[in-house]
Amino acid sequence: MSIYATLCALQFPRFGEFHIGCEWVTVIAQGVPAHVGAEAPDPYASFLPMLPNSVAVDLRAVVFVVEGTAKGTIRSAQEYSAPLLVLSGVEYASVPFSICILNFVTLCEETGHV
């Protein structure tokens, strides 16, 4: 069972510029509900923001990944191997959507996904 719930999926031109027939990369926002890891000890504390200060809008965290990113590391089967961005629920709730999109584009460019 996964600790993640898909919030949205956004597509960006793979090489940064839209044109007819361009390739696309899909970025998925995976929400982690506030109750995940509430048991002691928290098995997700090594890769998710700490409870309880990270919770807002019923989310502990939002993890942004490129579609197809592998999940499962030595630390945890639930950890993504190469997330683009991990925000606490508080950060996610406070960031305007336009700023979030600009960060996606920058992160995708830096990691070679666009």
Side-chain angles (χ1 to χ4, degrees):
M1 175 182 280
S2 179
I3 62 171
Y4 301 97
T6 301
L7 300 176
C8 67
L10 302 169
Q11 289 191 315
F12 299 95
R14 180 169 297 281
F15 300 108
E17 290 187 33
F18 170 77
H19 57 86
I20 302 297
C22 69
E23 293 180 46
W24 295 89
V25 61
T26 302
V27 174
I28 301 171
Q30 296 283 61
V32 180
H35 69 273
V36 170
E39 66 274 10
D42 179 359
Y44 310 110
S46 62
F47 62 94
L48 291 178
M50 298 298 287
L51 286 170
N53 300 335
S54 64
V55 175
V57 294
D58 292 326
L59 292 171
R60 174 183 180 164
V62 178
V63 180
F64 297 91
V65 295
V66 172
E67 184 177 47
T69 298
K71 189 168 73 169
T73 67
I74 292 171
R75 289 192 298 193
S76 173
Q78 295 292 336
E79 182 179 17
Y80 278 101
S81 61
L84 291 172
L85 181 64
V86 178
L87 296 176
S88 71
V90 171
E91 292 168 327
Y92 179 75
S94 66
V95 175
F97 185 73
S98 60
I99 299 298
C100 206
I101 295 300
L102 289 173
N103 284 333
F104 289 146
V105 172
T106 301
L107 287 166
C108 286
E109 288 171 346
E110 290 174 356
T111 58
H113 290 97
V114 295

